[in-house]
Amino acid sequence: EIHALDSAKFAAIVGIGPNFAYGNTDKTLLMSFGVTEFSVCLQRGAGASGYLTWGPTASAEHRDAHFAKARVLGKHHWVTSMHDVSFGPLTQAMKPFVPCTGKGCAVIIDSGTSLIAAPGLALQQLSKQIEPIMEDCSNLHKLPTLRFTIDGTEFELPPKAYVMRVVGHVKEEADSIWDVLFFKPKVRKVHMCMPAFMQIDMMSQLGPVWIMGMPFFRYYHTTFDRTAKEMYFARAGADCTPQPFGKGGAQLVSLDSEVDDGPMDMDPEAMVPPSLSSMIDTSTQSVDV
């Protein structure tokens, strides 16, 4: 047990990467406390709590039988491979508009990024697969499921995960977060629904970089194993209890029906953009993940 965490308050928790941070040789927070495995899950209701669990949440036998697994392929981040990102079932006719085909992309699983981050070209491709999202979210129920394959396993996110509703106060001078939103609204206002995607144009040794941020953790209880350099994914129950991963969307829909029926509420002032800028080789716009 780490008693300091019971009473202390943090604006951020640092040092939970798979290895030494970029450009740093000091011990990370996890190394200092001897923690080799931890899990992250965010509840889906507006304003609901999230959970950071240090130590195992399931036996190795249960995890191998009921969780999906992905290898950690990066040096500094929890990154693995991703292929075939599409809205709805992948068809031959859709392939020209599907990101991450062929050699695939690099995907960072990052609880510190507020939305889903992707290359601008990939987001242009995705926009051709989906009808416009109404500002009042009135067509949320008509939108397709977002599908993608992480290290050989197919994952799904429902419309409630990739659509956000802007809340709070929208300040005209608060340009930093609006600048990285790909689907920029013509007018900034509250209670407006829009795609929850940020633009990040970076190439890595594993391909174009994507980041699965907080929306991913609302649907997948994610365990990070620093020793084995693996990630394990279970479907997140309404209280973040890990449920068997399973296959197909029926279970995801069933779990989603247990919580609030609306999209994610997001305050622009509280959004956190991707934080890889210090690692970019500006001559090539590439990053070593």
Side-chain angles (χ1 to χ4, degrees):
E1 295 184 5
I2 304 172
H3 297 292
L5 297 181
D6 294 334
S7 57
K9 294 183 179 180
F10 298 91
I13 296 179
V14 297
I16 59 175
N19 207 319
F20 290 103
Y22 184 80
N24 181 39
T25 57
D26 294 331
K27 282 187 176 181
T28 67
L29 184 65
L30 294 187
M31 290 177 183
S32 298
F33 284 112
V35 177
T36 60
E37 182 178 322
F38 65 97
S39 301
V40 178
C41 180
L42 304 177
Q43 294 188 95
R44 293 191 288 281
S49 300
Y51 296 91
L52 170 63
T53 306
W54 293 27
T57 57
S59 67
E61 293 78 11
H62 181 83
R63 194 172 62 179
D64 289 341
H66 299 291
F67 292 13
K69 181 175 76 172
R71 301 162 296 161
V72 176
L73 304 177
K75 302 175 183 177
H76 308 294
H77 297 277
W78 295 103
V79 60
T80 189
S81 63
M82 183 170 69
H83 291 78
D84 301 336
V85 185
S86 66
F87 285 114
L90 181 62
T91 65
Q92 194 66 32
M94 288 173 58
K95 283 208 169 181
F97 307 110
V98 174
C100 301
T101 55
K103 294 182 178 179
C105 300
V107 60
I108 299 172
I109 311 300
D110 180 29
S111 61
T113 299
S114 294
L115 306 179
I116 299 171
L121 177 59
L123 294 175
Q124 289 178 18
Q125 291 175 305
L126 287 178
S127 68
K128 298 180 184 299
Q129 302 179 26
I130 188 173
E131 65 179 87
I133 295 171
M134 304 300 292
E135 287 189 4
D136 62 358
C137 270
S138 57
N139 65 337
L140 187 66
H141 65 289
K142 298 180 181 178
L143 299 177
T145 297
L146 179 64
R147 290 182 167 90
F148 45 95
T149 299
I150 292 180
D151 201 19
T153 301
E154 184 176 287
F155 287 72
E156 300 173 329
L157 287 175
K160 297 175 192 177
Y162 65 79
V163 175
M164 66 177 180
R165 179 170 51 208
V166 177
V167 298
H169 301 284
V170 179
K171 298 179 180 179
E172 287 299 323
E173 64 271 17
D175 289 330
S176 57
I177 193 65
W178 293 96
D179 287 344
V180 296
L181 292 177
F182 181 76
F183 300 96
K184 295 180 176 64
K186 294 180 180 179
V187 179
R188 302 175 187 177
K189 56 186 178 181
V190 296
H191 305 303
M192 173 179 61
C193 291
M194 59 188 297
F197 291 95
M198 297 174 171
Q199 182 172 347
I200 178 173
D201 292 300
M202 295 183 188
M203 181 59 70
S204 74
Q205 74 273 27
L206 302 175
V209 175
W210 287 60
I211 300 177
M212 287 293 167
M214 294 181 186
F216 182 86
F217 292 91
R218 290 187 173 93
Y219 287 85
Y220 293 100
H221 177 284
T222 304
T223 298
F224 301 89
D225 188 329
R226 295 182 57 252
T227 302
K229 291 194 173 182
E230 294 172 338
M231 294 178 283
Y232 288 86
F233 309 97
R235 298 195 187 275
D239 58 354
C240 267
T241 302
Q243 304 293 322
F245 185 85
K247 293 183 179 180
Q251 188 178 15
L252 193 66
V253 171
S254 175
L255 292 174
D256 203 36
S257 65
E258 299 175 17
V259 296
D260 186 6
D261 210 23
M264 295 185 299
D265 287 340
M266 296 294 294
D267 184 343
E269 292 187 34
M271 291 185 199
V272 181
S275 56
L276 303 178
S277 57
S278 61
M279 301 167 58
I280 300 175
D281 181 341
T282 55
S283 64
T284 60
Q285 282 300 109
S286 63
V287 62
D288 186 5
V289 295

